[in-house]
Amino acid sequence: MKKLLAVCACTVLSLSLSGCSLGTVLEQITSTGDVSVEEPSSPESAATEPKSRVYMDEISGTLQDFSGSQLILNKGEASYVFNLSGATLECKDGMITGDEISVIYEGQLSGTDTSTVQTLKVVDEFHRKSKLKKRTAHGQVLSLTANTITLKSKKGKTATYPITGTEQYYQNGIKEGDWVYLRFKGKFPDTSQDSSASLNASHLKVLSISDLETIVIPDPTPTPPPNPEETPEEAAGKEQQFLATIQGVNLNTLQILPAGSSTVQNLDMSSIPVYFKGGIAPGSHVNVTYKGILQPDTLEGIQILAITGEDPDTIDDKHISFTVTGVITGSTANTITVQTDDGAVDTFRTEELRNSSEASLEYGDYVQVTFHPSKSKASNIYTAVQIQNA
């Protein structure tokens, strides 16, 4: 008996010296998955109630589709539909079609029936067999908006790509019928049984778009400071710039509100160099290079030479003004998904929100999301810094 007491004392002492409590040990065990844990119960109920068991496990596969509140995961020939309303999304690359991911859940799966489990988180698969490769699509422009571009390939297939926050450079301008190179990550869903002429590109990550196969941005021409001794006619012959706020875009027509003006103006981008490092987001700013004499509330009489969007890499969250407007169509524990006014499906992280109480963030709410493009260069999940009811 004395030997037994001595062994117990040594066991307790070893746990104390190692800094591990009994709860910590259990936590370390259960974190490996597929291990049962007995939930604590009161002394009164211990004698009468059977001890319940909680199982944690994970399943790995490729992402087939994502709606904002649920995903479809393919593993071999089987497909699993998981409810994500209470889960966190922790994928470094975002939710990209064809990516290898793991779903961590509580409970036990019965075949492909996921109704008996609770999804806890979705993560990038650690032991990836193949990482997502950067690919290039070459297509003819059919339409361009702030959040989408539609291209038609040489084979006649069309696809509408999500381009929120995407770097864009058109050396010779942009218009319908132009051929551009679009660089992206992800895979189109399997359409071997589909005779449709369109491809589903809604959950790819577009990295850049340009009329050049390799983007090379020329150094900007320095704008000389104004010379108070110059006459207006002398100044009109030199390159000058004015600042404006983007209101929207429809193919080659960029709608802007010049600083100090109350009138929205249309700029034709069909034959001038244009560069948007953080995408063509309403609310963001552009510098317009021109020659001529700028008049209040009109752009008539000046020659537009180039358009350059602001660099989001140099802007902190407090001063960022890139926005998306649309309807909330889904949510998880740390994201919301919005269908934008121009048809894109964008997902936003909500952990870094400021003034988050200004919006209810419920399904069907019409909201304006302020996001930071520089925090999602490789991911199709964007970082929201503010959400307001629109």
Side-chain angles (χ1 to χ4, degrees):
M1 182 65 180
K2 291 181 179 180
K3 291 182 179 180
L4 178 60
L5 291 174
V7 170
C8 293
C10 290
T11 302
V12 172
L13 180 59
S14 65
L15 286 173
S16 301
L17 291 175
S18 66
C20 296
S21 66
L22 183 58
T24 304
V25 174
L26 287 175
E27 183 179 344
Q28 292 174 349
I29 294 174
T30 57
S31 65
T32 61
D34 200 21
V35 178
S36 63
V37 180
E38 295 182 356
E39 293 193 354
S41 58
S42 63
E44 294 79 7
S45 62
T48 58
E49 295 182 5
K51 295 179 179 179
S52 61
R53 292 173 178 265
V54 177
Y55 294 87
M56 289 179 61
D57 204 349
E58 69 178 76
I59 183 171
S60 300
T62 58
L63 179 65
Q64 171 68 16
D65 200 8
F66 171 63
S67 70
S69 294
Q70 71 175 26
L71 65 79
I72 300 176
L73 178 141
N74 289 344
K75 184 177 179 65
E77 298 298 321
S79 292
Y80 300 81
V81 181
F82 287 94
N83 184 335
L84 305 181
S85 56
T88 57
L89 303 186
E90 301 179 15
C91 296
K92 182 179 179 182
D93 289 329
M95 302 296 281
I96 301 178
T97 307
D99 197 9
E100 295 181 20
I101 60 172
S102 291
V103 177
I104 300 172
Y105 59 86
E106 185 179 86
Q108 290 181 296
L109 283 175
S110 176
T112 58
D113 180 12
T114 61
S115 62
T116 59
V117 304
Q118 178 182 355
T119 309
L120 302 177
K121 64 176 65 177
V122 182
V123 298
D124 292 318
E125 170 56 27
F126 181 73
H127 301 289
R128 292 184 181 182
K129 296 178 181 178
S130 58
K131 292 186 177 181
L132 285 175
K133 296 181 180 179
K134 296 178 182 179
R135 305 166 65 190
T136 300
H138 189 216
Q140 197 171 22
V141 177
L142 300 183
S143 70
L144 173 68
T145 67
N147 302 294
T148 69
I149 189 170
T150 302
L151 303 182
K152 184 177 182 179
S153 71
K154 292 181 180 179
K155 295 182 178 181
K157 291 280 188 178
T158 63
T160 298
Y161 297 85
I163 60 170
T164 302
T166 298
E167 181 181 25
Q168 299 173 59
Y169 175 59
Y170 307 108
Q171 177 181 252
N172 298 310
I174 181 69
K175 60 182 179 298
E176 183 178 5
D178 284 354
W179 288 84
V180 297
Y181 297 90
L182 181 145
R183 297 157 192 84
F184 67 97
K185 291 194 303 182
K187 298 177 181 179
F188 294 99
D190 183 14
T191 57
S192 57
Q193 306 300 321
D194 187 0
S195 59
S196 172
S198 62
L199 300 172
N200 181 3
S202 58
H203 294 299
L204 303 179
K205 173 58 182 179
V206 180
L207 304 171
S208 65
I209 312 167
S210 178
D211 53 359
L212 302 176
E213 190 168 3
T214 301
I215 296 180
V216 179
I217 310 298
D219 293 332
T221 302
T223 302
N227 183 352
E229 297 181 0
E230 282 183 332
T231 65
E233 289 74 19
E234 291 173 332
K238 297 181 178 180
E239 290 189 6
Q240 304 175 74
Q241 288 187 335
F242 68 85
L243 182 68
T245 303
I246 294 177
Q247 305 298 299
V249 61
N250 183 10
L251 244 179
N252 60 291
T253 302
L254 182 70
Q255 298 171 328
I256 63 167
L257 181 65
S261 174
S262 58
T263 304
V264 175
Q265 303 289 340
N266 292 330
L267 289 183
D268 183 2
M269 301 188 295
S270 61
S271 58
I272 59 173
V274 292
Y275 178 47
F276 303 97
K277 189 173 184 179
I280 314 176
S284 62
H285 302 101
V286 291
N287 280 309
V288 180
T289 304
Y290 71 98
K291 285 184 178 180
I293 300 176
L294 184 64
Q295 303 290 337
D297 297 330
T298 182
L299 300 181
E300 293 183 6
I302 65 172
Q303 178 189 3
I304 305 297
L305 303 176
I307 302 171
T308 305
E310 63 185 324
D311 183 355
D313 293 349
T314 63
I315 309 172
D316 59 26
D317 287 355
K318 185 177 180 181
H319 298 98
I320 203 77
S321 59
F322 291 72
T323 65
V324 159
T325 305
V327 176
I328 295 178
T329 58
S331 64
T332 70
N334 66 332
T335 68
I336 64 165
T337 296
V338 173
Q339 182 168 353
T340 67
D341 292 337
D342 49 0
V345 179
D346 290 341
T347 298
F348 300 90
R349 298 189 185 280
T350 56
E351 296 102 328
E352 298 183 23
L353 283 180
R354 64 174 191 260
N355 301 327
S356 57
S357 61
E358 294 183 15
S360 59
L361 306 187
E362 298 291 338
Y363 178 88
D365 283 352
Y366 188 62
V367 295
Q368 182 183 74
V369 183
T370 303
F371 69 99
H372 205 306
S374 295
K375 296 185 178 181
S376 56
K377 289 183 177 180
S379 171
N380 67 349
I381 299 182
Y382 303 92
T383 298
V385 297
Q386 188 174 24
I387 302 177
Q388 298 173 295
N389 290 110

